Amino acid sequence: MKKKLFVILTCLCATTAVFAQDPNFYIFLCFGQSNMEGAARPEPQDMEGVSPRFLLMPAVDDPARNRKMGEWCQALPPLCRPNTGLTPADYFGRTLTENLPENIRVGVIHVAIGGIRIEGFMPDEMENYVKNAPGWMVGMLQAYGNNPYERLVTLAKKAQKDGVIKGVIMHQGESNTGDMEWANKVQNVYDHLLGDLQLKPEEVPLLAGEVVQANGEGQCVAMNKQINDLPKTLHTAQVVSSTGCSNGPDKLHFDAAGYRELGRRYGEKMLELMGYQVRSPFNVPEDAVTAETTVPGNEFPKVDKDRRAYFRIVAPLANSVQVDICDKKYDMRRDQQGVWCATTDPLVVGFHYYFINIGGVNVIDPATETFFGCNREAGGIEIPEGPEGDYYRPQQGIGHGQVRSLYYYATATQEWRHAMVYTPAEYEKGKKRYPVLYLQHGMGEDETGWSKQGHMQHIMDNLIASGEAVPMIVVMESGDVKAPFRGGDNRQGFSEYGASFYKVMTTDLITTIDSKFRTLTDRDHRAMAGLSWGGHQTFDLVLNNMDMFAWMGAFSGAIFGLDVKTAYNGIFTKPDEFNKKIHYLFLSCGSEENFGTETLAKNLREAGIKTDFYVSPGTHHEWLTWRRGFRQFVPHLFKK
């Protein structure tokens, strides 16, 4: 009876143990020498965005980080020991958690010693190796109880109670350069791991990474021949290339960017072996199409159905490359031919400026059309809307106007200046005169912005064709706000930034347009509007020259802190006079920006000023907001 009860209890305990092990907790053993130990200081980006599903079982105590040997914790660097650095295991784990299903956790056990030969992990060689270890290695060996292999196995056995060991990643070889028996010694370590942990070789591959190449000048680059031959001896081994992985000045250790790239390659190789789809910038979905802003003859940038953008650039000598778009920087990945690739998060629809950052310097992607923005020429990409965006796209079967380039001399500034002028489709067919809208861009952009980024000509063509807007001329000038804002008094009516344009407008630009085009020259047929700082300029110019303009609008206007009681000589305190002179005042903004436009509209309405207000849903301080605002504004012009 006692024997029978013992058997039943034993079976119950075994069943409990099996159920305690989580088959969705994937554990990996990491070992090697200094490059696995981590020789580069982690950078700020390496301390952020680590998934709580990526865990570390520390192989040593780390009181400063409240880590205890053998107890799982979040896998933030350093993974090896206190005062070590970034390792391939860091981005190995990140790559796995980014690509594996959400219910799968990833754990690493990390044992590495700078300068250790492979013999330092061979159980039969361990005692002799410790006796003859160089003095600088003694403390590191002692941290692992003078037996790094035993520490790795002991923790691995403990981890097996929690999850399933799925693989081994190794970076070792620099200290065995030229050792023709190295592959056999690696197999010795691997076989002992399999035996001690009761693992099957076909279920637990070993990944070995190449050493620093440094364009053929790596201190131990000759070892890569032996590393690449490892699968001939150890058939479950896979080699991870270090081609293009950047290195430190010693040409022996990778730098932080190099560890990131090498770690990602380890992760992608392991995912491939486990049968998972790898989400990588090198893998572009079939539904991705070349962006409309791409220079003809180039395949990239591309945009997929989820609004992710894909970028590629050839820069074989670069050590680090990023894409800077929508207030976020994405590290680009380098393949073995020196092609760098990146995939963004889903982007909001509309137009976005972007830069390629190579070695810390922002440059324009040579594959994109250029657009003046951010106070300089910039790359740009259009994330397409659906049919709702047809209002700013050219349409067949209607008349199309022209956008002309006009150079003129301004006596106010004694210089030649440039403007863009839109004329409606019918302009060439008769002698009719037209009302004029002066349309300004924002800070850091130029006179081409509304036609290139804003597509105002297509919006005008479509509105005129549908009968929603009257035919008109639209004039776009630089406004002297291409250079960065450098401070000064910019209260409404007292502006310094861009104020040089005011006299140009009133003295030269309007006169030039009226002399060169068939215009209606009275105030009732003259309007002004602008986006962002162009909205600020509109308020300054119109409200200080109400004898010249009768229509006005501001899209996300930079009109901050306006006091309706005192601004512009108190004009807003005389609503009857204002509403008689200004036939239409329009304000708009994006729902996601915080420019105070809604408050401004409310204050003006409360003061008795007739104000039309529009909010663009889901958009920020961006061109899609201004396209939508322009589309709402234009149909109201020059109608009574």
Side-chain angles (χ1 to χ4, degrees):
M1 182 65 181
K2 289 183 178 179
K3 183 176 181 181
K4 185 175 182 181
L5 181 60
F6 174 77
V7 171
I8 293 171
L9 288 172
T10 301
C11 290
L12 285 172
C13 289
T15 303
T16 302
V18 169
F19 280 114
Q21 185 188 58
D22 181 0
N24 291 320
F25 187 15
Y26 294 179
I27 297 166
F28 300 88
L29 310 182
C30 313
F31 77 95
Q33 58 184 101
S34 56
N35 272 313
M36 182 58 80
E37 185 181 59
R41 184 187 301 276
E43 297 174 353
Q45 64 180 297
D46 306 315
M47 306 304 295
E48 302 171 351
V50 179
S51 170
R53 294 163 42 226
F54 180 26
L55 303 174
L56 166 72
M57 179 179 279
V60 298
D61 289 335
D62 187 349
R65 296 177 179 83
N66 198 28
R67 293 178 178 177
K68 293 184 179 180
M69 181 177 66
E71 295 184 8
W72 293 109
C73 62
Q74 190 176 12
L76 287 166
L79 301 185
C80 189
R81 299 186 310 279
N83 303 317
T84 56
L86 196 66
T87 82
D90 282 283
Y91 281 80
F92 168 79
R94 290 188 187 211
T95 301
L96 264 58
T97 54
E98 288 168 3
N99 287 274
L100 290 169
E102 289 290 329
N103 65 319
I104 294 178
R105 294 178 297 159
V106 173
V108 294
I109 301 171
H110 197 285
V111 175
I113 295 176
I116 196 169
R117 292 176 60 87
I118 193 62
E119 290 87 345
F121 290 98
M122 295 171 63
D124 298 337
E125 298 285 339
M126 195 68 248
E127 184 176 351
N128 185 57
Y129 190 85
V130 170
K131 286 180 181 178
N132 295 288
W136 52 264
M137 191 183 291
V138 170
M140 293 185 283
L141 288 165
Q142 288 175 346
Y144 298 114
N146 284 324
N147 196 327
Y149 174 85
E150 183 61 34
R151 179 66 55 85
L152 185 63
V153 169
T154 299
L155 296 179
K157 287 179 178 178
K158 183 176 182 180
Q160 282 180 307
K161 297 176 182 178
D162 302 317
V164 182
I165 294 175
K166 287 285 189 176
V168 179
I169 70 170
M170 176 188 77
H171 197 281
Q172 197 282 330
E174 292 93 340
S175 295
N176 287 83
T177 300
D179 181 356
M180 302 310 295
E181 292 299 312
W182 177 81
N184 292 325
K185 294 172 183 177
V186 172
Q187 178 155 18
N188 178 282
V189 176
Y190 179 69
D191 288 345
H192 273 92
L193 285 172
L194 297 181
D196 289 340
L197 299 172
Q198 299 182 20
L199 301 172
K200 298 178 181 179
E202 63 273 15
E203 296 176 355
V204 185
L206 179 141
L207 304 188
E210 291 182 333
V211 301
V212 164
Q213 296 195 29
N215 296 318
E217 297 180 359
Q219 287 197 35
C220 302
V221 70
M223 185 63 190
N224 283 337
K225 173 66 168 63
Q226 290 163 266
I227 294 173
N228 280 289
D229 286 342
L230 180 62
K232 296 178 181 178
T233 301
L234 182 55
H235 302 303
T236 56
Q238 297 279 335
V239 176
V240 177
S241 171
S242 67
T243 300
C245 293
S246 53
N247 53 272
D250 62 3
K251 298 183 181 179
L252 178 64
H253 298 101
F254 299 98
D255 61 12
Y259 283 122
R260 292 184 201 111
E261 178 57 29
L262 187 63
R264 291 185 184 110
R265 293 181 186 180
Y266 270 106
E268 289 172 356
K269 177 61 70 174
M270 188 63 74
L271 286 162
E272 178 188 322
L273 295 174
M274 292 191 296
Y276 288 98
Q277 182 83 26
V278 179
R279 192 164 58 244
S280 163
F282 303 112
N283 299 334
V284 181
E286 293 183 1
D287 64 65
V289 297
T290 301
E292 64 182 71
T293 40
T294 302
V295 173
N298 292 275
E299 185 180 0
F300 290 85
K302 286 188 170 185
V303 182
D304 70 14
K305 64 179 178 60
D306 296 320
R307 306 193 311 275
R308 296 179 186 273
Y310 300 82
F311 298 93
R312 289 190 179 179
I313 188 168
V314 179
L317 299 182
N319 288 330
S320 64
V321 184
Q322 292 179 316
V323 174
D324 188 348
I325 184 171
C326 294
D327 297 320
K328 184 172 181 178
K329 294 180 180 179
Y330 297 87
D331 285 335
M332 299 191 78
R333 298 276 310 281
R334 184 192 192 280
D335 70 8
Q336 296 184 35
Q337 286 72 47
V339 179
W340 296 79
C341 302
T343 305
T344 70
D345 298 332
L347 302 173
V348 297
V349 292
F351 174 87
H352 305 290
Y353 298 113
Y354 77 94
F355 292 97
I356 302 291
N357 188 292
I358 301 179
V361 178
N362 278 345
V363 300
I364 302 172
D365 182 353
T368 181
E369 299 283 359
T370 57
F371 306 84
F372 196 91
C374 311
N375 307 111
R376 57 168 291 184
E377 292 290 348
I381 186 169
E382 184 79 29
I383 307 300
E385 286 192 283
E388 70 274 15
D390 286 348
Y391 72 91
Y392 59 78
R393 298 181 180 121
Q395 303 297 320
Q396 293 183 338
I398 67 170
H400 296 281
Q402 298 180 24
V403 178
R404 310 176 186 216
S405 175
L406 171 68
Y407 285 91
Y408 70 101
Y409 189 80
T411 58
T413 53
Q414 297 188 347
E415 63 182 347
W416 284 96
R417 298 178 67 98
H418 184 235
M420 307 298 291
V421 182
Y422 165 84
T423 54
E426 63 178 48
Y427 185 84
E428 307 301 319
K429 300 177 182 178
K431 297 182 179 180
K432 177 181 173 181
R433 292 187 174 273
Y434 295 88
V436 183
L437 166 63
Y438 289 86
L439 183 63
Q440 291 304 116
H441 56 86
M443 181 186 299
E445 293 165 332
D446 74 357
E447 64 274 19
T448 64
W450 268 109
S451 55
K452 290 191 70 174
Q453 293 96 292
H455 302 316
M456 57 74 52
Q457 66 275 32
H458 306 317
I459 300 174
M460 290 299 310
D461 289 342
N462 295 333
L463 289 174
I464 293 170
S466 68
E468 294 178 74
V470 301
M472 67 186 76
I473 294 169
V474 183
V475 180
M476 296 152 282
E477 224 267 17
S478 75
D480 294 342
V481 292
K482 293 170 67 172
F485 176 70
R486 302 193 185 281
D489 188 350
N490 278 293
R491 292 172 294 159
Q492 286 75 28
F494 298 91
S495 298
E496 293 181 18
Y497 179 64
S500 55
F501 172 61
Y502 297 171
K503 188 139 190 214
V504 171
M505 169 75 95
T506 57
T507 303
D508 299 292
L509 181 57
I510 291 175
T511 303
T512 299
I513 296 300
D514 287 345
S515 66
K516 291 184 177 293
F517 295 87
R518 298 194 311 275
T519 65
L520 294 166
T521 60
D522 60 304
R523 67 178 298 276
D524 287 331
H525 293 94
R526 190 177 296 126
M528 185 174 180
L531 68 89
S532 194
W533 201 263
H536 183 113
Q537 291 183 309
T538 296
F539 266 57
D540 278 3
L541 271 162
V542 172
L543 298 178
N544 283 316
N545 299 277
M546 295 178 73
D547 59 326
M548 301 181 73
F549 302 91
W551 315 77
M552 62 187 293
F555 321 113
S556 310
I559 307 161
F560 307 123
L562 183 145
D563 186 344
V564 296
K565 296 179 180 179
T566 61
Y568 303 108
N569 298 314
I571 187 60
F572 298 125
T573 64
K574 308 168 188 175
D576 292 340
E577 178 184 343
F578 182 93
N579 293 333
K580 183 178 180 181
K581 288 186 175 181
I582 299 300
H583 302 324
Y584 185 65
L585 168 59
F586 175 86
L587 300 176
S588 67
C589 62
S591 64
E592 306 307 304
E593 60 181 324
N594 184 22
F595 252 50
T597 308
E598 186 171 3
T599 299
L600 175 61
K602 176 176 176 290
N603 291 342
L604 290 172
R605 285 171 172 174
E606 289 177 349
I609 305 299
K610 292 180 181 179
T611 306
D612 202 357
F613 177 56
Y614 167 77
V615 178
S616 167
T619 58
H620 295 258
H621 201 67
E622 58 186 283
W623 275 103
L624 188 54
T625 296
W626 307 323
R627 291 174 189 169
R628 290 175 176 175
F630 183 74
R631 190 255 177 271
Q632 297 294 321
F633 171 64
V634 169
H636 297 275
L637 295 182
F638 310 120
K639 295 179 180 178
K640 287 190 178 180

